[in-house]
Amino acid sequence: MSALNYKHLHYFWVVAKCGGIGRASEQLHLTPQTISGQIGMLEEALGYTLFDRIGRRMELNDAGRMVFSYADEIFTLGEELEDVLRHRPGDRPLQFTVGVVDSLQKSIVYLLLEPALKLPETLRVVCREGKLDTLLAGLAIRGLDIVLADGPMPPNSNVRGFSHLLGECGIAFFAAPALAKRCKGAFPASLDGAPFLLPGEDAALRPRLLRWFEKEGIRPRIAGEFDDGALLKEFGQAGAGVFAAPATVSAQVKKQYGVQEIGRTDALVEQFYAISVERRLSHPAVVAISAAAQRRAAST
């Protein structure tokens, strides 16, 4: 790939933000033909088309959304740099860019990041959510400082990185009040035959759940499978099925979704990892997160 032309990237960014070449041409004071040609040159340089052209509409495709996320950060930081130099030299916040695997519980993500938020430095946290392989690619090009995941790096990954265990906890099971009443009885036998909402195939917890069900002789009825953990809980809140979540955030799950805990087990655990390109962590925010995790482990 040839050297990236940031002028072309800027035109692409404006078009994506404006929703089309027509509006972008008014903002950039360029003809639509000029902008279209510049975006074509960017696509040729990158080796990917960035828009799906549907009639007169242009919609970002998968590659376009990824490029836009980086372009948005580049030009937003550029605007911030101008503002800092203009008004507050020496007071620029420390940026901490975190990739979050979409199967990871959001309440757990906050607990893991909380030590970094308590640093004396002014911190700007940027969270990017996605699939593990996409996030690892961002880590490899130093677009991310760390990736938070529910499992270590895959052994067959092409990215050179290191997995740092931040903690683990048992699993609790939740259901909307009406469904919880139907799951009365000894746990975990009360799950047998109950509708269950299963995490998607990318979730590290999924195979552990299935093995645990088999070991306990439990056959829940799989009522749905969800890649997005928040969507899974919305269905659980509506009574569509029982769902599992880390026991350490049981209070938050019950309060947020109005569900009841029907049982928990330490025979089934969820783990939390920070994945970095460094064996020895150096970013102050990552060091704070790792140190807090070590203190928690020492106190248990």
Side-chain angles (χ1 to χ4, degrees):
M1 186 181 75
S2 59
L4 185 62
N5 186 311
Y6 284 89
K7 182 174 72 173
H8 298 166
L9 185 66
H10 183 257
Y11 292 162
F12 159 78
W13 179 62
V14 175
V15 170
K17 287 183 65 178
C18 291
I21 288 180
R23 292 180 181 176
S25 68
E26 296 174 3
Q27 183 171 327
L28 294 168
H29 305 291
L30 296 170
T31 66
Q33 294 81 0
T34 298
I35 296 174
S36 180
Q38 301 291 293
I39 290 177
M41 294 173 68
L42 174 65
E43 291 177 325
E44 183 178 351
L46 294 175
Y48 291 93
T49 59
L50 303 176
F51 292 97
D52 289 331
R53 292 164 173 80
I54 305 172
R56 294 185 177 181
R57 292 186 296 112
M58 296 177 66
E59 295 184 359
L60 288 171
N61 55 27
D62 289 342
R65 283 188 287 272
M66 182 180 69
V67 172
F68 177 77
S69 70
Y70 285 101
D72 194 46
E73 183 174 346
I74 289 169
F75 295 116
T76 299
L77 283 174
E79 293 172 353
E80 181 183 314
L81 174 61
E82 292 180 356
D83 183 61
V84 167
L85 294 175
R86 190 181 308 116
H87 299 108
R88 301 186 306 278
D91 190 33
R92 185 185 177 197
L94 174 67
Q95 179 151 319
F96 180 39
T97 308
V98 185
V100 179
V101 173
D102 52 15
S103 57
L104 199 60
Q105 304 283 335
K106 304 305 179 287
S107 48
I108 287 290
V109 173
Y110 177 78
L111 290 177
L112 294 176
L113 294 179
E114 188 177 22
L117 303 178
K118 296 179 179 179
L119 287 171
E121 298 97 328
T122 302
L123 191 70
R124 177 188 179 189
V125 179
V126 178
C127 289
R128 304 202 182 283
E129 188 178 21
K131 300 297 182 186
L132 180 59
D133 55 352
T134 301
L135 296 175
L136 289 178
L139 188 69
I141 62 172
R142 303 302 177 103
L144 300 172
D145 293 306
I146 61 167
V147 171
L148 296 179
D150 52 0
M153 281 193 63
N156 59 346
S157 175
N158 293 325
V159 176
R160 183 177 182 272
F162 302 92
S163 301
H164 310 272
L165 180 63
L166 298 177
E168 60 182 26
C169 67
I171 296 297
F173 294 81
F174 304 87
L179 178 56
K181 290 181 180 179
R182 290 158 41 197
C183 296
K184 292 297 184 182
F187 178 85
S190 56
L191 296 176
D192 194 47
F196 193 85
L197 306 177
L198 196 65
E201 293 183 354
D202 290 335
L205 180 62
R206 178 189 173 111
R208 297 174 193 158
L209 268 172
L210 295 176
R211 288 194 297 268
W212 183 74
F213 287 150
E214 184 176 357
K215 180 181 177 181
E216 296 292 333
I218 300 169
R219 291 187 177 182
R221 176 176 60 83
I222 305 303
E225 301 183 28
F226 301 83
D227 290 333
D228 187 292
L231 182 60
L232 182 151
K233 292 183 184 63
E234 291 290 338
F235 274 70
Q237 181 182 38
V242 179
F243 63 91
T248 192
V249 293
S250 177
Q252 294 97 312
V253 171
K254 289 188 290 186
K255 180 179 180 180
Q256 182 175 354
Y257 294 97
V259 293
Q260 297 177 6
E261 182 180 324
I262 60 176
R264 63 172 63 191
T265 178
D266 289 329
L268 187 61
V269 299
E270 182 151 30
Q271 297 178 313
F272 318 111
Y273 284 85
I275 301 174
S276 73
V277 293
E278 303 170 315
R279 186 185 297 275
R280 293 179 60 84
L281 302 176
S282 60
H283 192 292
V286 184
V287 171
I289 291 169
S290 179
Q294 292 174 17
R295 289 194 296 270
R296 285 193 298 267
S299 63
T300 56

